[in-house]
Amino acid sequence: MREIRLRRPFVSGFLLVVILLKYLRMFRFALKNLCSRLVRTLLALCGLTVAIAGMVGLFSVAEGIEASVSATFAKVPGLAVMQPGAPIPLFSRLPSDWGDEIGRLTGVHVVHREIWARANIIEGKPCFNPPRFLFGSDLKEAENLRYSVYREGLKEGRILTAADRGTLHTVVSRAIADQFKKKVGDVLHVDGLELEIIGIYQCNSLFLDVAIILDIELVRRVGRIGPESVCNFYVEPDLNVDRARLAERIREKFIGRSREIRQANADQQAANPVQALLSAMGASAPVNGTPAKGSQADDDSASRESAVEVRDSDDWAREFKHFSEDLDIFLFLMTGIGVSIAFVGIVNTMLMSVTERFIEFGVLKANGWSNGDVLRLISFESGFLGLGGGVVGCALGWLATHAINAHWPTRIHLYAGPRLLAWSVCFSIVLGVLGGLYPAIRASRMMPMDAIRRG
Amino acid sequence: MIDVDNVTKTYRRGPAEVRALRGLSCQIPPGVLTFIVGPSGSGKSSLLYLLGALDQPTSGEVTILGQRLTQLTGRQRDVFRRDQVGFVFQNFNLLANLTAVENVLVPYFPQGVPPARRTEAIELLKRVGLADRLDHRPSQLSGGEQQRVAIARALLKRPVLVLADEPTGELDSESGAQIYGYLRQLRDEQGSTVVIVTHDRTHIQPADNVLSLRDGKLAT
């Protein structure tokens, strides 16, 4: 059995070589035919190259997001406990004292309270893109974490400790420090605060390198979040604890307690008009679809569901993958335009080429070439066009993504991986062959004498 | 033996219907040089292309070596042409992108060309006096040389039947005589049946078979 398994790739490789050798003359003939009409071939190649390069460029955005998300969540081993339906912790609110209840559950090592707020103005400039966030960390709890992504990513200075509570000390990412030309010891002005940079971290992730880390109470003040609320809890499990089971235990603990969140949010909105506005616009997450003012039916429904959503790295990755799939559909549509133009270009090139060569096909058929042989020759030619356009397009697209990444290192990282490149080349070949199919069928169906007469 | 039985061939040229062959019947003995002669429009080329399964008769039957050509499938006709028929066209019809050797080998490209066949092709080109033109393209060859490449292509198959349509029509008399010499040599060495369409009767010898056509029929 093992011998058969070992032989299979060898046999496949051998068969491939035999087929390549068998069609070697046909390949050379097809290439010569393409080279004999060099300008037209190059023009068709250019059309396809641009389309494929565009496709690689566009899909590298989705690949970049996916790669970045995977890399980011691989670095976050714990669980995030959030308000159900909140897309990110920024829009989540939970009662702060629930952290104590989670901490008492079996298998929980540390519960870390977190508050997130948008940094609106940094160094006197509005800060929209790339977004920057104030990350309020309970510094005492953070000290107990076995693993902290920001602590591990520290490059200069030191991380915040419990001794920094009540201070304006901050740790910022290398991207933020570079953007505002700051170093350890400098002051960073954020939303009216004069923060002193005591450390710089670098996680090499677009999603992590956005945080300005501060004492939780400071962010609470800036974000007008009352002492009874937090955005989320980061839960670090004990060693060798099954994360999925722990997540389930946390969910079960809070079944039927949505009313407490609504109450916390109502208090919050009374204190914070911005939060109220966000809630009215639907940005703040409803609790399992229940409206803010609960009815009896709502309460019944809420009583059966958990008031928290527990996400691990896989959940985040899945959520982003879902987003990425939507993006893919959009990219397919965008790419479709370029590809359609390239496709028409190939059909046109091959049709002209075939029309010019009716005599040639007549002579070939007079010499015993079958319809299939003629079809194969033209398909090889259009396939070579596809291969050429695919390879050059991929090379250009790949170079462009690297150039863009080098020029805008802090923006979204484009990634044209081997899978995307291989897929693009294959797609281009298929496109080429399909583009040549109609002209090939036309040529192959002619009787030899018709071909010679028409030529 | 080639048997042509009551064959008609009609085709359209624009709105007009052209009756190229009108109930033609004849027999061509094997291993003989047969000339088809007649004025323009008499149906010479149409008959030749029917013999080579390049075209289909409108009615009637062509039988070659016991094979009824109208009953062959498309694939069988392809194989028949590839293995049993050699064509020599008036305007050579070599493929411009291929060298002389490749033009000789082109019928075998789809099946793959073993080294022995390539050696054979080179030998044939040497025999027709093109030893120093093996890697030349048609545009680099004279008319006579191109026709000799076409003859080498026909010879490589060791065909039962060689069909030549005005093979010397584009050549000077010296080159023309040379081409007829090669065709006779082919008949003598391989025992092939050679059918030549021509206007020019100067190369017909007494032992040759002559079919004279007029208005799509044998001239009486």
Side-chain angles (χ1 to χ4, degrees), chain B residues 11-26:
Chain B
Y11 56 88
R12 300 199 73 81
R13 185 177 288 164
E17 194 173 71
V18 179
R19 295 175 68 198
L21 296 173
R22 306 175 186 202
L24 175 75
S25 295
C26 64

Side-chain angles (χ1 to χ4, degrees), chain A residues 387-404:
Chain A
L387 177 67
V391 170
V392 180
C394 280
L396 284 179
W398 185 82
L399 286 173
T401 57
H402 278 69
I404 290 167

